[in-house]
Amino acid sequence: MTWAARLYVLATAAVAAVGTAWTVVGVGTEAFAYVFVPVGGAFATAAVHHLLRRGTLDPVARRFWRALLVAFGAMTVGYGWLAADMLTHAAQARTRSMPVPAAACVAIGFGIAIWAVARVPVVPAERTDRRRIVLDRVIAFLGCSAVLWYLGLAPMLSAREPWSRQAMVLVGLAFLVAVGAATKVSYVAGGPVDRVALRCVAAAGGITAGLVAVLGVWFGYDAGVPTAAVVMPLAPVLATIGVAAQWRGSRDPARAGELLPYLAVAAADVPLLAIAFGAPPRWPGRVAVIAAVVVTALVTLRQFIAYRENARLLANTRRQEERLQYEVSHDGLTGLANRALFRERLATALAGSGRAAVLLVDLDDFKAVNDLLGHGVGDRLLVSVAQLLRAETGDDGLPVRVGGDEFAVLLTGDAADPAELAGRLLAALGRPISEHRLLVQASIGIAVAGPHRPGATVDSVLRDADIAMYTAKQRGKAGFVRYEDGLGEPVLAHMQLGAELRRALDDGELEVMYQPILRLDDGRVAGVEALVRWQHPARGAVRPAEFIPAAEQTGLIVPLGRFVLREACRQAAAWAAEFGPDALPETGVNVSARQLHDPDFVADVAAALADSGLPCERLVLEVTESAVLRGQQVSRTLYELDRLGIRLALDDFGTGESSLSLLRSFPAAIVKLDKSFVDGIEIDDGRPAAADARRAVARAVIQLAHALGLETVAEGVESPEQAAVLRELGYTLGQGYHLAQPMTAEEVSRLLHDRVAAPAVGLVEGVVVGSEAASR
């Protein structure tokens, strides 16, 4: 609460205190008692005006307080008019009625206040909740109104000394403000209009009007002075307290009004209890009884709606539980049982009869479907495979989607022969399936648990099936293998190689070698490509063709690629620092598809550049066509790298299905012709047509690259004849064992020294550095 809010509260409290003191002392004419209400109202109006001058009020709160500003102003004018009338007719102050224009101003103020309270937003709710809330508010309004009618307005109608119509109307409007605000505050969701402020507005109307009614009924005209000087000045005090609460911001947690209807029922029963204990059943009491009956009927209706809603919620809960139970145990795409249900059923079978057979079905080359045709087509193909599994398995077993493109079938007890079922599945997969009429093959691994394999567990059976499936893939795919003892030794050796590769990364056994890229016209060095090599302490040199697949399957390709990236950037920065303008102008990294899928890859590249001090424009990244076609994540990564100023090279160009479209959609700067189009390009068998056919792709690639402004490098140059043909076709850069074999960084440094010593030997743009594992 700010100093201004405290000042207004103190001012109105001081007015009320002075009015009380004046009443006790009794100095001067009784007409002076009517001065305190408009003075306090002026302070309350000023407090609201000061609040509205703040620029932090929400539009809804500003609308509410703007309306109350008008309401307080109108009331202040009305009570000021009354004070002036009483002072000018001091002799009649005890019995004189409020002037009609003054009463009209006050009534307008009450009406505006009621309208402002009605517009305050309540708790947002669904349609059923809205009906319940409306019933609750009607119940609360009628219940509270019945009490106020019976204890306040009705006694005024039958008082010994009659009340004026103006006073009756104003007291009734004050009761409406109180009941409306009290009902409203129970459903305000802690929004822009402060809940405490609404309570103060309700109290300002209800408390003062109730005290006025009670004093007037019990003491008649004698209550006029204390009512005007003591009771009514409390309304501006409560109003300014509400302004201060809005100024401070609500600390009252929003709560739903669940108890309000029941409190209203209890309030409506007060007149009934009074009549039951001997109060005369006059017409005001009959009105209260009718209101109590209506409230009871509305409560009954509300309980019926709540019963129906609870029944609906229980039914929905049961359906949700059933759906969740199904979703927990079934695959969302295919509707087959999932891995959790598969393991549960397999564990039950092993714990019971101990007999079970598992067929692990892995689709061959399914990734190509997603890459080339899109994930939508891939998903529909998986659904078709699931339908095929259901049809072929029938009641003999449980078809399962293990994950991705991997399925399984669980056979328990004396179900179908697993080998016969595997043959049927392979035969069915040999025919076009799905709406796109696709041919798909699968490798199936079979593991059987029974008396011949005691002590089998869920994990051991699944491991055996996985080893058998992996063996089926190694044997050429589109077949099945049944697990036998010793079958897993090659697989375990492969896994062991992956573990040793992890150790090799930690122990520094890996080394980056550099194969030069030469100009085909004069044989000068034009760049290098880095090749990772592994010198095993026990095995000796491990071929990249052995450890790179292990790195791909184990995920170690990511840290392996990160090692090559950082080493390449460090070495290139060292060359730049040592040789200055004679150093290699660009450095790049060849990355795998798995690296491009890594969300931290761009950050890794930026960190390698920052740590080594190598500028972005000196970095070239080399990617294969298959990696580029891996979806939106890869595409976003490549474009982020391009925006960093890093040049991109398209490796093994011509081997993918979308090479030409890639040149339009992929931000490539360099194209590397695949070795398969260089092999045999030099053969001259005396048939020009055959020779032209062998050279057609190489010629088309160089023409297309020139048209698009791309650099070209021919890979796999193994003879002087190939180099000559490529030079005739327009290629200026080549790479291969005929041109130069891989060398260490120190040997590259000597080449740079030679270039400084003999300018005829030099390096040109483009160092292509990577983790590529092809031995050329």
Side-chain angles (χ1 to χ4, degrees):
M1 188 187 304
T2 65
W3 64 270
R6 291 191 183 95
L7 182 62
Y8 286 119
V9 173
L10 291 175
T12 54
V15 171
V18 171
T20 303
W22 178 86
T23 303
V24 173
V25 174
V27 178
T29 176
E30 293 182 352
F32 191 72
Y34 295 92
V35 173
F36 300 104
V37 174
V39 173
F43 282 120
T45 305
V48 176
H49 181 264
H50 199 158
L51 174 66
L52 288 171
R53 291 177 61 187
R54 297 177 61 197
T56 58
L57 278 181
D58 183 89
V60 174
R62 181 172 296 278
R63 181 186 65 192
F64 172 77
W65 287 105
R66 189 182 295 118
L68 285 190
L69 175 66
V70 177
F72 290 170
M75 294 178 193
T76 301
V77 170
Y79 284 118
W81 193 321
L82 172 63
D85 182 79
M86 289 299 181
L87 289 173
T88 55
H89 301 83
Q92 307 170 11
R94 178 178 290 267
T95 59
R96 184 172 175 80
S97 298
M98 187 176 191
V100 174
C105 289
V106 177
I108 290 172
F110 277 126
I112 295 174
I114 293 171
W115 175 75
V117 170
R119 296 187 68 190
V120 174
V122 297
V123 179
E126 301 293 335
R127 181 176 179 182
T128 304
D129 290 338
R130 285 200 299 270
R131 291 200 299 266
R132 178 180 58 79
I133 290 175
V134 169
L135 275 175
D136 287 351
R137 293 167 69 185
V138 173
I139 292 169
F141 185 83
L142 290 178
C144 295
S145 298
V147 174
L148 294 177
W149 163 261
Y150 188 75
L151 299 180
L153 287 178
M156 292 173 64
L157 296 174
S158 58
R160 296 189 314 270
E161 296 175 348
W163 288 65
S164 67
R165 291 188 179 88
Q166 299 93 305
M168 295 282 292
V169 170
L170 295 182
V171 171
L173 289 174
F175 282 154
L176 283 178
V177 172
V179 174
T183 304
K184 193 82 171 187
V185 74
S186 297
Y187 297 98
V188 173
V193 178
D194 187 81
R195 291 164 56 85
V196 175
L198 277 176
R199 287 194 178 99
C200 291
V201 171
I207 293 177
T208 55
L211 291 175
V212 167
V214 171
L215 291 175
V217 169
W218 284 90
F219 299 103
Y221 293 139
D222 292 336
V225 171
T227 296
V230 178
V231 175
M232 294 181 65
L234 294 177
V237 176
L238 292 170
T240 51
I241 292 175
V243 174
Q246 182 70 58
W247 217 312
R248 176 191 61 194
S250 179
R251 298 176 186 174
D252 181 38
R255 297 183 297 272
E258 289 87 356
L259 295 179
L260 186 61
Y262 303 101
L263 296 176
V265 172
D269 288 339
V270 170
L272 298 181
L273 292 174
I275 293 174
F277 282 98
R282 299 173 182 172
W283 69 271
R286 293 190 182 95
V287 172
V289 170
I290 292 173
V293 172
V294 173
V295 168
T296 304
L298 292 176
V299 170
T300 304
L301 177 60
R302 181 190 185 278
Q303 291 301 106
F304 175 71
I305 292 176
Y307 167 77
R308 290 185 58 187
E309 181 64 16
N310 290 337
R312 184 182 65 83
L313 291 175
L314 288 174
N316 287 340
T317 301
R318 284 193 295 268
R319 285 194 295 269
Q320 289 176 0
E321 289 177 352
E322 293 172 357
R323 185 175 68 253
L324 288 174
Q325 187 63 33
Y326 179 85
E327 291 176 352
V328 166
S329 58
H330 289 77
D331 175 60
L333 176 64
T334 63
L336 295 180
N338 62 11
R339 181 188 291 269
L341 182 59
F342 176 44
R343 292 180 63 90
E344 178 185 336
R345 295 286 181 85
L346 178 56
T348 302
L350 294 176
S353 64
R355 298 179 58 86
V358 172
L359 285 75
L360 197 60
V361 183
D362 188 86
L363 303 183
D364 296 331
D365 303 319
F366 176 75
K367 181 177 64 66
V369 176
N370 278 337
D371 291 345
L372 300 178
L373 301 179
H375 289 275
V377 175
D379 288 346
R380 288 190 286 275
L381 178 59
L382 293 175
V383 172
S384 299
V385 172
Q387 294 171 349
L388 184 147
L389 286 178
R390 287 195 192 95
E392 295 298 331
T393 304
D395 298 330
D396 294 335
L398 176 70
V400 179
R401 185 187 179 197
V402 180
D405 61 344
E406 194 171 71
F407 296 84
V409 177
L410 173 62
L411 303 176
T412 58
D414 297 326
D417 176 35
E420 189 269 338
L421 176 59
R424 291 206 317 267
L425 292 175
L426 291 175
L429 289 171
R431 298 185 292 270
I433 62 173
S434 87
E435 61 190 82
H436 297 90
R437 309 301 296 164
L438 298 175
L439 284 173
V440 61
Q441 296 177 329
S443 298
I444 302 177
I446 301 174
V448 179
H452 65 291
R453 295 185 64 85
T457 64
V458 171
D459 290 330
S460 66
V461 173
L462 294 180
R463 181 198 62 211
D464 294 346
D466 199 44
I467 291 173
M469 184 270 294
Y470 186 82
T471 304
K473 284 188 175 293
Q474 286 185 325
R475 292 181 181 178
K477 304 180 181 179
F480 70 89
V481 172
R482 180 167 178 155
Y483 180 82
E484 301 292 345
D485 290 337
L487 188 65
E489 293 179 2
V491 178
L492 293 176
H494 186 77
M495 296 174 63
Q496 183 180 4
L497 183 63
E500 293 181 359
L501 180 59
R502 173 72 272 178
R503 178 191 52 77
L505 280 167
D506 296 335
D507 295 347
E509 296 176 9
L510 298 171
E511 181 184 9
V512 178
M513 303 286 287
Y514 299 90
Q515 184 176 27
I517 301 172
L518 303 183
R519 289 186 178 275
L520 296 178
D521 53 356
D522 55 13
R524 292 188 301 169
V525 178
V528 293
E529 177 180 358
L531 305 173
V532 63
R533 293 293 183 261
W534 181 11
Q535 190 67 29
H536 194 280
R539 302 185 185 188
V542 182
R543 294 186 302 112
E546 296 180 28
F547 70 81
I548 290 298
E552 288 280 2
Q553 293 186 8
T554 59
L556 289 175
I557 193 66
V558 174
L560 178 62
R562 188 181 300 117
F563 159 73
V564 177
L565 167 68
R566 300 187 72 86
E567 176 62 21
C569 290
R570 184 201 63 79
Q571 184 60 63
W575 284 329
E578 182 178 359
F579 298 102
D582 295 315
L584 302 172
E586 292 181 345
T587 301
V589 174
N590 184 355
V591 295
S592 70
R594 195 153 185 172
Q595 287 177 271
L596 293 173
H597 274 290
D598 184 1
D600 297 327
F601 178 67
V602 176
D604 287 342
V605 174
L609 291 171
D611 294 342
S612 64
L614 189 69
C616 291
E617 60 270 13
R618 289 179 174 264
L619 184 61
V620 175
L621 295 180
E622 185 176 337
V623 296
T624 62
E625 293 181 64
S626 59
V628 175
L629 294 171
R630 288 297 182 91
Q632 294 183 354
Q633 171 64 34
V634 171
S635 179
R636 284 194 297 268
T637 298
L638 294 174
Y639 275 97
E640 287 180 25
L641 294 168
D642 180 63
R643 284 193 292 270
L644 288 177
I646 299 170
R647 301 181 71 199
L648 301 175
L650 194 58
D651 192 22
D652 299 335
F653 184 77
T655 58
E657 288 81 358
S658 303
S659 300
L660 298 182
S661 62
L662 279 180
L663 293 180
R664 296 176 55 192
S665 60
F666 172 63
I670 302 170
V671 173
K672 299 189 73 174
L673 180 68
D674 187 70
K675 180 181 183 298
S676 60
F677 301 110
V678 176
D679 292 340
I681 198 172
E682 80 285 5
I683 296 176
D684 185 4
D685 53 5
R687 294 183 297 171
D692 288 342
R694 286 190 293 270
R695 301 171 186 176
V697 173
R699 182 183 295 109
V701 170
I702 190 65
Q703 291 174 349
L704 187 60
H706 286 168
L708 297 176
L710 305 177
E711 297 179 17
T712 55
V713 177
E715 299 180 296
V717 181
E718 306 295 344
S719 68
E721 292 80 11
Q722 290 177 350
V725 173
L726 289 169
R727 189 167 57 251
E728 292 175 3
L729 293 175
Y731 286 86
T732 58
L733 299 177
Q735 177 183 356
Y737 268 48
H738 163 68
L739 301 175
Q741 295 189 8
M743 61 183 64
T744 64
E746 291 75 14
E747 292 173 320
V748 174
S749 296
R750 284 197 292 271
L751 287 178
L752 293 176
H753 277 294
D754 294 342
R755 179 172 185 242
V756 173
V761 179
L763 300 173
V764 287
E765 11 179 298
V767 180
V768 182
V769 182
S771 62
E772 186 179 29
S775 57
R776 296 188 174 105

